[in-house]
Amino acid sequence: MKNFLDIAEINLNELRIILDETVHLKTSRIELPKGKIDAKPVLNGRIVALLFKKPSTRTRFSFDVGINQMGGRSISVSSSEMQLSNAEKMSDTAEVLSNYVDMIVLRTDNHDELLDLEKNSTVPIINGLTDFSHPCQVLTDIFTFEELVGSIKGKKVVWLGDSNNVCNSYLQSAEKFDFEFTVSCPKAVMPVKSIESSHCRYEIDPEKAVKGADLLITDTWFSMHQNNLDRNQRTLLLKDYSITTDLLMRAKPESLVFHCMPLYREKEISSQVVDQFFKVFLSQAENRLHVQKSIMKWCFS
Ligand code: CP
Ligand code: NVA
């Protein structure tokens, strides 16, 4: 039994096992109706709790559908429907749920709650996004890049805009997968984790940052755990880091753009760039399903 909490905690061999298995899982679904059970239903007889303290479209649906395809059952609840909303402790919740379900996926705005859940549960725990990290998204992005382009090793990957939970999971991945990762953002929103390392660097100037890039990535300027921020002030602070056609022209001609969605046109990315890369964003979103199925299989291996 294994947990999938953060990319930093899992060694490269294991991550590669998950990615390799994703190829098989994805290929085996070609032409099948979405609700048809997999030929080898790995979650047969298992129940998975999807515990969401924050909104979600992709993560919630892709886990739910994936569990069903794997022959398992899911119970999807928002924390407002649970005693967690009456201040019941996550540690107590963990012990109780461990007797009901075989695995728990948690989305929360407090990473410590994820750690509490993991410490007190006896079933595998998967991080479905916290204020600190979003490993399911970034492992899926790596899968998507390798599916569309080839190995990510040695590639130049540039993050633009707010350096948030998704960015943190990229920072954890760069050395493991051996790609060069540049964060370009105002000093006021620098990542909590120290950036400078053998594979990661900071560049305040977005035009310099994207020079020679193979992949540009951005995300909303208003993450769910930051909804108390002044939106106008933040938009002014981040506006030069928006991915526009002009900025994109400074990267490699064949460069890709990634966005984990939800996206906000004319904020972190221009409508024109969205139109150019929307199919890529849809591949990222679709691949969440296949990668997470592989993660769940790995957790029980
Ligand atoms: N990218 C992502 O995690 O989307 P949701 O918030 O819709 O789950
Ligand atoms: N950084 C965003 C990601 C949403 C998938 C957030 O935390 O809201």
Side-chain angles (χ1 to χ4, degrees):
M1 181 199 102
K2 302 181 192 97
N3 299 305
F4 187 83
L5 299 191
D6 262 318
I7 288 177
E9 291 174 0
I10 305 168
N11 74 42
L12 180 64
N13 281 347
E14 300 287 302
L15 294 167
R16 280 287 171 206
I17 287 171
I18 296 171
L19 293 177
D20 291 347
E21 182 56 20
T22 303
V23 177
H24 298 130
L25 289 168
K26 183 170 180 179
T27 313
S28 71
R29 293 298 310 183
I30 292 171
E31 309 269 306
L32 287 187
K34 314 274 190 305
K36 193 165 166 61
I37 309 277
D38 288 343
K40 288 184 196 153
V42 176
L43 293 185
N44 191 15
R46 308 257 196 206
I47 301 186
V48 182
L50 301 177
L51 176 45
F52 279 68
K53 293 190 80 176
K54 298 200 283 192
S56 167
T57 299
R58 281 141 288 267
T59 308
R60 196 161 177 165
F61 271 86
S62 54
F63 267 111
D64 208 341
V65 170
I67 292 158
N68 279 282
Q69 289 182 353
M70 294 169 88
R73 286 176 52 203
S74 58
I75 302 175
S76 183
V77 276
S78 110
S79 60
S80 62
E81 301 162 78
M82 294 176 64
Q83 297 294 3
L84 282 167
S85 62
N86 281 331
E88 184 172 23
K89 287 174 71 167
M90 184 57 91
S91 53
D92 295 346
T93 306
E95 296 207 42
V96 172
L97 290 186
S98 294
N99 289 327
Y100 296 148
V101 300
D102 298 296
M103 179 186 274
I104 304 170
V105 178
L106 176 68
R107 170 168 286 199
T108 175
D109 48 16
N110 180 353
H111 194 78
D112 286 343
E113 283 186 349
L114 178 79
L115 302 179
D116 246 10
L117 178 67
E118 186 265 334
K119 209 162 72 195
N120 294 284
S121 74
T122 54
V123 297
I125 304 298
I126 296 179
N127 177 354
L129 178 147
T130 69
D131 55 336
F132 175 67
S133 58
H134 197 4
C136 290
Q137 181 66 56
V138 173
L139 194 60
T140 302
D141 285 3
I142 290 168
F143 177 83
T144 307
F145 185 87
E146 298 202 327
E147 185 180 48
L148 297 175
V149 178
S151 174
I152 198 162
K153 187 175 159 101
K155 296 291 191 240
K156 181 170 179 188
V157 179
V158 180
W159 178 276
L160 293 136
D162 184 29
S163 61
N164 55 20
N165 41 9
V166 181
C167 178
N168 282 337
S169 289
Y170 269 102
L171 285 166
Q172 293 182 10
S173 306
E175 192 174 343
K176 271 195 184 187
F177 286 92
D178 198 10
F179 60 85
E180 202 186 302
F181 188 63
T182 302
V183 179
S184 189
C185 64
K187 286 219 161 106
V189 301
M190 291 265 282
V192 285
K193 186 179 182 296
S194 132
I195 294 189
E196 301 295 339
S197 71
S198 58
H199 288 72
C200 303
R201 68 183 191 97
Y202 172 70
E203 171 55 66
I204 195 167
D205 181 342
E207 293 186 358
K208 280 191 194 154
V210 302
K211 208 162 164 249
D214 299 284
L215 173 62
L216 309 188
I217 313 164
T218 192
D219 186 13
T220 177
W221 291 342
F222 310 99
S223 282
M224 290 177 275
H225 59 277
Q226 302 165 322
N227 53 12
N228 55 347
L229 296 173
D230 179 328
R231 295 207 157 219
N232 292 334
Q233 199 184 27
R234 199 163 173 80
T235 301
L236 271 179
L237 180 72
L238 290 163
K239 67 177 182 14
D240 293 340
Y241 296 86
S242 179
I243 303 187
T244 60
T245 307
D246 274 0
L247 192 63
L248 185 58
M249 274 166 50
R250 296 167 194 271
K252 280 191 184 158
E254 68 277 19
S255 66
L256 276 188
V257 176
F258 273 3
H259 195 306
C260 67
M261 301 172 94
L263 59 84
Y264 301 96
R265 292 167 177 82
E266 309 309 337
K267 292 276 190 297
E268 74 273 8
I269 188 163
S270 72
S271 299
Q272 228 180 334
V273 177
V274 171
D275 290 346
Q276 193 180 341
F277 287 96
F278 198 70
K279 270 197 177 149
V280 173
F281 308 157
L282 287 183
S283 296
Q284 289 175 265
E286 185 203 324
N287 285 336
R288 293 290 301 278
L289 169 65
H290 308 296
V291 172
Q292 286 161 190
K293 285 174 73 178
S294 188
I295 291 170
M296 290 189 278
K297 184 172 178 186
W298 172 82
C299 284
F300 285 117
S301 66

